[in-house]
Amino acid sequence: MNTLYCAKCGSTDVQIMAWVDANTNEYRGDVNDPLELKDCWCETCKDHAELLTIRLLWNRFAEIPVNNDDEIEEPFLNFEAGTCKFDVWHWFDKRCPHNLYRDLMYIGEK
Ligand SMILES: [Zn+2]
């Protein structure tokens, strides 16, 4: 669940700028640094990117308006406006360790 995704395209081919000890190659960055302070790069977009976990992406998707035909009204990742929301759910489902319902939709109902 800690996998990071590009907030623009949903790719996991992403990199993060970090400090490495020049002598030992040991990673010296503070893992607790807020992600938004780090320089992130998406290899798919070939651009600087915001990285989000699947849960944060799901929260963001929850803000996308959906019409009465279950079509999203704004683009989300590589899904264009007008895409059936279930197609997007499927995208999430494929990336969840268990499944969409268990991992994202019913958080707190353990
Ligand atoms: Zn990207």
Side-chain angles (χ1 to χ4, degrees):
M1 292 297 279
N2 293 322
T3 306
L4 290 170
Y5 296 85
C6 169
K8 229 184 291 177
C9 72
S11 169
T12 50
D13 193 359
V14 290
Q15 298 165 16
I16 196 160
M17 196 89 89
W19 291 103
V20 172
D21 188 297
N23 293 309
T24 64
N25 286 339
E26 205 179 310
Y27 174 61
R28 299 296 290 269
D30 182 351
V31 285
N32 296 316
D33 277 353
L35 206 52
E36 49 274 18
L37 294 184
K38 292 179 181 168
D39 203 356
C40 304
W41 177 265
C42 173
E43 206 40 48
T44 304
C45 294
K46 297 281 179 208
D47 199 1
H48 292 273
E50 181 188 8
L51 303 187
L52 295 175
T53 60
I54 195 85
R55 184 163 293 162
L56 289 172
L57 269 179
W58 177 251
N59 291 346
R60 189 161 290 191
F61 178 61
E63 293 165 11
I64 301 281
V66 174
N67 67 20
N68 291 333
D69 295 323
D70 286 328
E71 294 167 349
I72 58 173
E73 296 188 308
E74 288 171 17
F76 179 75
L77 301 180
N78 287 332
F79 299 99
E80 288 172 19
T83 303
C84 176
K85 75 172 181 185
F86 297 109
D87 288 347
V88 186
W89 284 17
H90 186 66
W91 185 92
F92 278 101
D93 196 45
K94 274 194 299 188
R95 282 157 181 81
C96 284
H98 303 102
N99 58 62
L100 173 63
Y101 301 96
R102 186 165 155 194
D103 294 331
L104 294 174
M105 295 181 87
Y106 299 113
I107 301 166
E109 290 182 30
K110 287 262 156 77

